[in-house]
Amino acid sequence: MVDHIINNTMRVKKMNQELVRETLKDMRQGTKSMVAEATGLSIATCRNILHELLSTGELIQLELEESNGGRPAQIYRYNVDFANIACIIIRAGVTLHSLTYSVVNLSGESLEEGSQQLEQMNEEKIYDLVDRLILKYPRIQAIGIGVPGAVHQGVINTCDIPNLINVNLVAPIQEKLEVEVILDNDMNLTVYGLYQRQGYNERNSLVVTTFIEGSLPGAGIMIDGHIHRGNSRFAGEIAFLPLEMSHDEQFRKLHNRDTFHPLAARGVSSLIAVMNPETIALTGDLLKPGDVELIRNECLKYIPELHMPRLILLENPDDDYMCGLIKMTLESLSYSLQLVEKRR
């Protein structure tokens, strides 16, 4: 009973800390009274939290507020450089694979971006990049990794890069570097980034479907403001629909302009029938100008006009992908951001 009360008290404290933290991020700077008014917490609670965050360096104490006759109030600013995150996107190519990375501060501002192409991709290449970034930016507290495949419990179980199948990227990094690690599917991250960037209503349902040269199709799904991953994080793997053909045959037909549109429309129609989303964004280098309308017409062979969602062409999916990865990695620090500790 005592342990239960202590756990509840600690949980409430962490939630209040996060509320104050996010409020100051949004406000940029503010006084104790301003934070209390914005959060709905008491002055005493805000004072204690502000002092705790100030002692760790997570807040910066600015000059006193100009006095209006009374005692001037202390102004606080959130220290967006208190910690950093690193985000890495793993891409499968026809002849070359690539690693694209971005190191950002707690407000999402970029400190460094880069990419490298590789003839062979394996986990060691990824670990080497992580080590290099951690060495250069010792304040990194979380690593986000996006992969072209399905992930379950930190293990990549299907992937467009065979060398990464059945690889656990999460545990080795966490154990060695003691940082948070986020590993997720590329389409989940892309749809989440699009959702964030476009400011969709929480009740909206959104799907991003991709048709990339050299790969089988996939989809990312948002339902009521949340990514739908499924029981084993397999949701959106539309290449596994019962299309009465092997993956090799499906691959050939998607890469043939004569058979691309009917086959793509079958995947899109399945998503419409199951999800009934408001919008489906199509992307990938297999799509050409005018393909969206052709796919829509094919979908109408299966789906009544009344239930057809808005189909759009997503022209810059890389921006949404990285945005989604950054947002999700920053969110992984919620309730757990502590004083940056020495790793060596």
Side-chain angles (χ1 to χ4, degrees), residues 250-280:
Q250 185 181 165
F251 183 92
R252 288 193 298 271
K253 287 189 173 183
L254 286 170
H255 287 71
N256 184 326
R257 294 298 294 171
D258 294 332
T259 52
F260 170 72
H261 303 98
L263 186 53
R266 290 175 69 179
V268 172
S269 296
S270 297
L271 290 166
I272 296 170
V274 173
M275 287 253 332
N276 191 206
E278 178 189 70
T279 303
I280 294 183

Short mmCIF file of all heavy atoms in Angstrom, two decimals, residues 250-280:
data_model
loop_
_atom_site.label_atom_id
_atom_site.label_comp_id
_atom_site.label_asym_id
_atom_site.label_seq_id
_atom_site.Cartn_x
_atom_site.Cartn_y
_atom_site.Cartn_z
N GLN A 250 4.59 -9.77 -57.80
CA GLN A 250 4.08 -8.47 -57.40
C GLN A 250 5.13 -7.38 -57.70
O GLN A 250 4.79 -6.30 -58.21
CB GLN A 250 3.74 -8.48 -55.90
CG GLN A 250 3.08 -7.21 -55.42
CD GLN A 250 2.78 -7.23 -53.94
OE1 GLN A 250 2.51 -6.20 -53.34
NE2 GLN A 250 2.82 -8.40 -53.30
N PHE A 251 6.38 -7.67 -57.38
CA PHE A 251 7.47 -6.73 -57.65
C PHE A 251 7.54 -6.40 -59.14
O PHE A 251 7.63 -5.22 -59.53
CB PHE A 251 8.78 -7.34 -57.17
CG PHE A 251 9.98 -6.44 -57.33
CD1 PHE A 251 10.38 -5.60 -56.30
CD2 PHE A 251 10.73 -6.45 -58.51
CE1 PHE A 251 11.49 -4.78 -56.43
CE2 PHE A 251 11.83 -5.63 -58.65
CZ PHE A 251 12.22 -4.79 -57.61
N ARG A 252 7.49 -7.43 -60.00
CA ARG A 252 7.58 -7.22 -61.45
C ARG A 252 6.42 -6.38 -61.95
O ARG A 252 6.61 -5.47 -62.78
CB ARG A 252 7.63 -8.56 -62.18
CG ARG A 252 8.94 -9.32 -62.02
CD ARG A 252 9.04 -10.46 -63.02
NE ARG A 252 7.97 -11.45 -62.81
CZ ARG A 252 8.06 -12.49 -62.00
NH1 ARG A 252 9.17 -12.68 -61.29
NH2 ARG A 252 7.06 -13.35 -61.89
N LYS A 253 5.23 -6.65 -61.47
CA LYS A 253 4.04 -5.93 -61.97
C LYS A 253 4.03 -4.47 -61.51
O LYS A 253 3.57 -3.59 -62.24
CB LYS A 253 2.77 -6.64 -61.52
CG LYS A 253 2.52 -7.95 -62.26
CD LYS A 253 1.16 -8.53 -61.95
CE LYS A 253 0.87 -9.74 -62.83
NZ LYS A 253 -0.47 -10.31 -62.61
N LEU A 254 4.53 -4.23 -60.30
CA LEU A 254 4.59 -2.85 -59.83
C LEU A 254 5.64 -2.04 -60.59
O LEU A 254 5.54 -0.81 -60.69
CB LEU A 254 4.90 -2.81 -58.33
CG LEU A 254 3.74 -3.20 -57.41
CD1 LEU A 254 4.24 -3.37 -55.97
CD2 LEU A 254 2.62 -2.16 -57.45
N HIS A 255 6.65 -2.71 -61.11
CA HIS A 255 7.70 -2.03 -61.86
C HIS A 255 7.44 -2.04 -63.37
O HIS A 255 8.32 -1.65 -64.16
CB HIS A 255 9.06 -2.68 -61.55
CG HIS A 255 9.57 -2.34 -60.19
ND1 HIS A 255 9.02 -2.85 -59.03
CD2 HIS A 255 10.59 -1.53 -59.78
CE1 HIS A 255 9.67 -2.38 -57.98
NE2 HIS A 255 10.63 -1.59 -58.40
N ASN A 256 6.25 -2.45 -63.75
CA ASN A 256 5.83 -2.43 -65.15
C ASN A 256 4.69 -1.43 -65.30
O ASN A 256 3.65 -1.57 -64.66
CB ASN A 256 5.37 -3.83 -65.58
CG ASN A 256 5.02 -3.91 -67.06
OD1 ASN A 256 4.50 -2.96 -67.65
ND2 ASN A 256 5.29 -5.06 -67.66
N ARG A 257 4.86 -0.42 -66.14
CA ARG A 257 3.85 0.63 -66.26
C ARG A 257 2.50 0.09 -66.74
O ARG A 257 1.46 0.69 -66.45
CB ARG A 257 4.34 1.72 -67.22
CG ARG A 257 5.55 2.50 -66.74
CD ARG A 257 5.27 3.26 -65.45
NE ARG A 257 4.28 4.32 -65.65
CZ ARG A 257 3.73 5.02 -64.69
NH1 ARG A 257 4.02 4.75 -63.42
NH2 ARG A 257 2.85 5.97 -64.95
N ASP A 258 2.50 -1.00 -67.46
CA ASP A 258 1.24 -1.55 -67.96
C ASP A 258 0.41 -2.19 -66.85
O ASP A 258 -0.82 -2.31 -66.97
CB ASP A 258 1.51 -2.58 -69.06
CG ASP A 258 2.11 -1.95 -70.31
OD1 ASP A 258 1.84 -0.76 -70.55
OD2 ASP A 258 2.88 -2.64 -71.02
N THR A 259 1.05 -2.64 -65.79
CA THR A 259 0.33 -3.35 -64.72
C THR A 259 0.40 -2.62 -63.38
O THR A 259 -0.17 -3.08 -62.39
CB THR A 259 0.90 -4.77 -64.54
OG1 THR A 259 2.34 -4.69 -64.38
CG2 THR A 259 0.60 -5.62 -65.76
N PHE A 260 1.11 -1.49 -63.34
CA PHE A 260 1.30 -0.77 -62.08
C PHE A 260 -0.01 -0.27 -61.47
O PHE A 260 -0.31 -0.52 -60.30
CB PHE A 260 2.26 0.41 -62.28
CG PHE A 260 2.35 1.33 -61.10
CD1 PHE A 260 3.00 0.95 -59.94
CD2 PHE A 260 1.76 2.60 -61.14
CE1 PHE A 260 3.07 1.80 -58.84
CE2 PHE A 260 1.83 3.45 -60.06
CZ PHE A 260 2.49 3.06 -58.90
N HIS A 261 -0.80 0.45 -62.26
CA HIS A 261 -1.98 1.12 -61.71
C HIS A 261 -3.03 0.16 -61.14
O HIS A 261 -3.52 0.38 -60.02
CB HIS A 261 -2.61 2.04 -62.77
CG HIS A 261 -1.65 3.05 -63.31
ND1 HIS A 261 -0.97 2.86 -64.50
CD2 HIS A 261 -1.22 4.23 -62.80
CE1 HIS A 261 -0.19 3.90 -64.72
NE2 HIS A 261 -0.31 4.75 -63.71
N PRO A 262 -3.40 -0.91 -61.86
CA PRO A 262 -4.39 -1.83 -61.27
C PRO A 262 -3.90 -2.48 -59.97
O PRO A 262 -4.69 -2.63 -59.03
CB PRO A 262 -4.57 -2.88 -62.38
CG PRO A 262 -4.17 -2.20 -63.63
CD PRO A 262 -3.06 -1.27 -63.25
N LEU A 263 -2.62 -2.84 -59.92
CA LEU A 263 -2.11 -3.50 -58.73
C LEU A 263 -1.99 -2.51 -57.57
O LEU A 263 -2.34 -2.83 -56.43
CB LEU A 263 -0.74 -4.13 -59.02
CG LEU A 263 -0.13 -4.98 -57.90
CD1 LEU A 263 -1.11 -6.03 -57.42
CD2 LEU A 263 1.17 -5.62 -58.37
N ALA A 264 -1.52 -1.30 -57.84
CA ALA A 264 -1.43 -0.28 -56.80
C ALA A 264 -2.82 0.04 -56.25
O ALA A 264 -3.00 0.21 -55.04
CB ALA A 264 -0.78 0.99 -57.35
N ALA A 265 -3.81 0.08 -57.14
CA ALA A 265 -5.18 0.40 -56.72
C ALA A 265 -5.76 -0.69 -55.83
O ALA A 265 -6.58 -0.40 -54.94
CB ALA A 265 -6.06 0.60 -57.94
N ARG A 266 -5.36 -1.92 -56.02
CA ARG A 266 -5.87 -2.99 -55.15
C ARG A 266 -5.38 -2.80 -53.71
O ARG A 266 -6.12 -3.03 -52.76
CB ARG A 266 -5.45 -4.35 -55.70
CG ARG A 266 -6.18 -4.72 -56.99
CD ARG A 266 -5.67 -6.01 -57.60
NE ARG A 266 -6.03 -7.18 -56.79
CZ ARG A 266 -5.71 -8.42 -57.14
NH1 ARG A 266 -5.03 -8.64 -58.28
NH2 ARG A 266 -6.06 -9.44 -56.37
N GLY A 267 -4.13 -2.41 -53.57
CA GLY A 267 -3.60 -2.12 -52.23
C GLY A 267 -4.30 -0.93 -51.60
O GLY A 267 -4.69 -0.96 -50.42
N VAL A 268 -4.47 0.14 -52.37
CA VAL A 268 -5.13 1.35 -51.87
C VAL A 268 -6.59 1.05 -51.53
O VAL A 268 -7.11 1.49 -50.49
CB VAL A 268 -5.03 2.49 -52.90
CG1 VAL A 268 -5.87 3.69 -52.47
CG2 VAL A 268 -3.57 2.90 -53.10
N SER A 269 -7.28 0.28 -52.38
CA SER A 269 -8.69 -0.06 -52.12
C SER A 269 -8.84 -0.88 -50.85
O SER A 269 -9.82 -0.70 -50.11
CB SER A 269 -9.26 -0.84 -53.32
OG SER A 269 -9.28 -0.04 -54.49
N SER A 270 -7.89 -1.75 -50.59
CA SER A 270 -7.95 -2.53 -49.35
C SER A 270 -7.86 -1.62 -48.13
O SER A 270 -8.58 -1.82 -47.14
CB SER A 270 -6.82 -3.56 -49.33
OG SER A 270 -6.95 -4.50 -50.38
N LEU A 271 -6.99 -0.63 -48.19
CA LEU A 271 -6.86 0.32 -47.09
C LEU A 271 -8.15 1.13 -46.91
O LEU A 271 -8.57 1.39 -45.78
CB LEU A 271 -5.68 1.26 -47.35
CG LEU A 271 -4.29 0.63 -47.25
CD1 LEU A 271 -3.23 1.55 -47.86
CD2 LEU A 271 -3.94 0.33 -45.79
N ILE A 272 -8.77 1.50 -48.02
CA ILE A 272 -10.01 2.27 -47.94
C ILE A 272 -11.12 1.43 -47.31
O ILE A 272 -11.85 1.89 -46.42
CB ILE A 272 -10.45 2.74 -49.35
CG1 ILE A 272 -9.43 3.71 -49.93
CG2 ILE A 272 -11.83 3.40 -49.28
CD1 ILE A 272 -9.65 4.04 -51.40
N ALA A 273 -11.23 0.18 -47.74
CA ALA A 273 -12.30 -0.69 -47.23
C ALA A 273 -12.15 -0.98 -45.75
O ALA A 273 -13.15 -1.07 -45.01
CB ALA A 273 -12.32 -2.00 -48.02
N VAL A 274 -10.92 -1.13 -45.29
CA VAL A 274 -10.69 -1.45 -43.88
C VAL A 274 -10.67 -0.19 -43.01
O VAL A 274 -11.22 -0.17 -41.91
CB VAL A 274 -9.36 -2.22 -43.71
CG1 VAL A 274 -9.02 -2.42 -42.24
CG2 VAL A 274 -9.44 -3.56 -44.42
N MET A 275 -10.05 0.88 -43.50
CA MET A 275 -9.82 2.08 -42.70
C MET A 275 -10.86 3.17 -42.88
O MET A 275 -11.18 3.90 -41.96
CB MET A 275 -8.46 2.68 -43.08
CG MET A 275 -7.29 1.90 -42.58
SD MET A 275 -6.46 2.70 -41.24
CE MET A 275 -6.73 4.42 -41.48
N ASN A 276 -11.34 3.32 -44.13
CA ASN A 276 -12.23 4.43 -44.48
C ASN A 276 -11.62 5.77 -44.05
O ASN A 276 -12.24 6.56 -43.33
CB ASN A 276 -13.60 4.23 -43.83
CG ASN A 276 -14.65 5.21 -44.35
OD1 ASN A 276 -15.61 5.52 -43.66
ND2 ASN A 276 -14.50 5.71 -45.56
N PRO A 277 -10.37 6.04 -44.48
CA PRO A 277 -9.68 7.25 -44.03
C PRO A 277 -10.18 8.50 -44.74
O PRO A 277 -10.82 8.43 -45.80
CB PRO A 277 -8.22 6.97 -44.40
CG PRO A 277 -8.33 6.12 -45.62
CD PRO A 277 -9.54 5.26 -45.41
N GLU A 278 -9.85 9.64 -44.16
CA GLU A 278 -10.20 10.91 -44.79
C GLU A 278 -9.28 11.20 -45.98
O GLU A 278 -9.72 11.70 -47.01
CB GLU A 278 -10.07 12.04 -43.77
CG GLU A 278 -10.38 13.41 -44.33
CD GLU A 278 -10.05 14.52 -43.37
OE1 GLU A 278 -8.84 14.75 -43.13
OE2 GLU A 278 -10.97 15.15 -42.86
N THR A 279 -7.98 10.89 -45.81
CA THR A 279 -6.98 11.20 -46.83
C THR A 279 -6.00 10.04 -46.98
O THR A 279 -5.60 9.43 -45.99
CB THR A 279 -6.18 12.47 -46.46
OG1 THR A 279 -7.08 13.57 -46.29
CG2 THR A 279 -5.15 12.81 -47.54
N ILE A 280 -5.63 9.74 -48.23
CA ILE A 280 -4.53 8.83 -48.50
C ILE A 280 -3.51 9.58 -49.35
O ILE A 280 -3.84 10.09 -50.43
CB ILE A 280 -4.98 7.55 -49.23
CG1 ILE A 280 -5.89 6.71 -48.34
CG2 ILE A 280 -3.76 6.71 -49.66
CD1 ILE A 280 -6.32 5.40 -48.95
#
